[in-house]
């Protein structure tokens, strides 16, 4: 499986993501700089977490307008799989690849801790090695992870099974609607999530709960 990880100024989780992908898939991802206008031939593009452009304006708003995002949008429309994590979720949402918005946490504070996630849909390229209803531990680290959308969009997300991850009862760290932690687009080729699964795949992390997510990429 060939993959690429996009690098923006201020992003700081690209190495974590690249190591996770290499550890599980056995192939080193390609790092793609934000100013590039073309993507290499890959099966997956990951937009990782961090603080692109210092989170100025809105989180992800500047990065969403970078040259590489135009290429990603074009390739995504043709079926390329795209995964956005934390700031990456914010970026791909700002770019219009996913509906809704990520806004300030309900408590107006940066949250950095472990939460529990429920796998709501195991028929995706990132969850097919999991069981629907499975609960995994996963770290979060964000100040603007509060997912919101209009009523009609929420109805479609829930009705079409496009909520991929949900914060398990009592662990919602940001006030997201319906405890939403991750969603996908209509065709299932784009997934965005706020927690950081790349930081929960090895014994040294304390747990390996999220390793099956990366194994799902190979199975897909």
């Amino acid at each position: 499986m060939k993959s690429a990880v996009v690098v923006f100024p201020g992003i700081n989780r690209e190495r974590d993501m690249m190591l996770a992908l290499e550890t599980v898939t056995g192939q080193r991802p390609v790092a793609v700089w934000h100013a590039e206008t073309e993507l290499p031939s890959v099966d997956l593009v990951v937009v990782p977490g961090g603080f692109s452009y210092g989170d100025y304006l809105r989180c992800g708003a500047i990065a969403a307008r970078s040259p590489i995002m135009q290429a990603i949008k074009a390739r995504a429309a043709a079926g390329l799989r795209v995964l956005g994590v934390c700031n990456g979720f914010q970026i791909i949402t700002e770019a219009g690849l996913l509906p809704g918005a990520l806004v300030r946490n309900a408590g107006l504070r940066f949250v950095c801790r472990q939460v529990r996630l429920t796998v709501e849909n195991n028929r995706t390229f990132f969850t097919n090695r999991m069981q629907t209803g499975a609960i995994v531990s996963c770290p979060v680290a964000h100040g603007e992870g509060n997912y919101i959308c209009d009523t009609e969009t929420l109805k479609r997300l829930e009705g079409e099974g496009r909520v991929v991850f949900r914060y398990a009862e009592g662990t919602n760290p940001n006030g997201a609607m319906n405890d939403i932690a991750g969603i996908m687009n209509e065709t299932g080729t784009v997934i965005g999530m706020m927690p950081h699964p790349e930081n929960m795949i090895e014994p040294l992390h304390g747990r390996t709960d999220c390793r099956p997510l990366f194994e799902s990429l190979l199975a897909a």
Side-chain angles (χ1 to χ4, degrees):
M1 187 197 78
K2 297 179 180 180
S3 60
V5 176
V6 185
V7 182
F8 297 93
I11 284 285
N12 61 13
R13 294 297 187 102
E14 76 279 4
R15 293 185 181 183
D16 301 61
M17 182 58 72
M18 292 177 75
L19 181 59
L21 288 167
E22 183 177 16
T23 297
V24 179
T25 69
Q27 292 195 44
R28 181 72 172 173
V30 177
V32 179
W33 186 236
H34 70 109
E36 298 290 335
T37 57
E38 295 183 6
L39 283 170
S41 178
V42 293
D43 306 301
L44 169 76
V45 169
V46 181
V47 186
F51 305 94
S52 59
Y53 295 95
D55 281 350
Y56 288 110
L57 298 183
R58 297 182 308 277
C59 292
I62 300 176
R65 289 152 180 81
S66 65
I68 196 59
M69 285 307 301
Q70 306 314 307
I72 290 174
K73 289 174 69 174
R75 290 279 295 277
L80 176 68
R81 292 184 174 106
V82 179
L83 174 65
V85 174
C86 198
N87 191 211
F89 186 12
Q90 296 162 341
I91 292 169
I92 63 176
T93 301
E94 285 281 346
L97 288 170
L98 291 172
L102 285 306
V103 299
R104 291 290 302 276
N105 293 345
L108 302 182
R109 293 185 177 184
F110 188 89
V111 177
C112 183
R113 65 169 183 260
Q114 281 193 44
V115 298
R116 290 182 298 128
L117 295 181
T118 301
V119 177
E120 295 290 314
N121 185 339
N122 72 341
R123 300 181 305 278
T124 80
F125 69 84
F126 200 49
T127 60
N128 60 76
R129 293 294 299 272
M130 306 290 288
Q131 294 293 322
T132 298
I135 296 179
V136 299
S137 289
C138 194
V140 295
H142 58 253
E144 297 188 22
N146 184 354
Y147 181 78
I148 62 169
C149 61
D150 61 76
T151 302
E152 186 58 35
T153 298
L154 183 62
K155 185 184 299 184
R156 287 202 308 271
L157 289 174
E158 295 286 5
E160 296 170 6
R162 290 164 55 194
V163 176
V164 181
F165 300 102
R166 211 183 299 273
Y167 298 110
E169 185 177 357
T171 65
N172 186 334
N174 50 46
M177 298 175 71
N178 287 22
D179 297 323
I180 290 174
I183 61 172
M184 65 181 179
N185 66 345
E186 292 180 352
T187 58
T189 56
V190 179
I191 293 176
M193 62 185 298
M194 283 310 298
H196 286 275
E198 72 275 16
N199 294 143
M200 196 61 77
I201 68 164
E202 300 185 76
L204 286 175
H205 292 155
R207 301 177 67 108
T208 59
D209 290 37
C210 296
R211 191 180 183 94
L213 297 176
F214 289 88
E215 292 172 347
S216 295
L217 297 174
L218 284 174

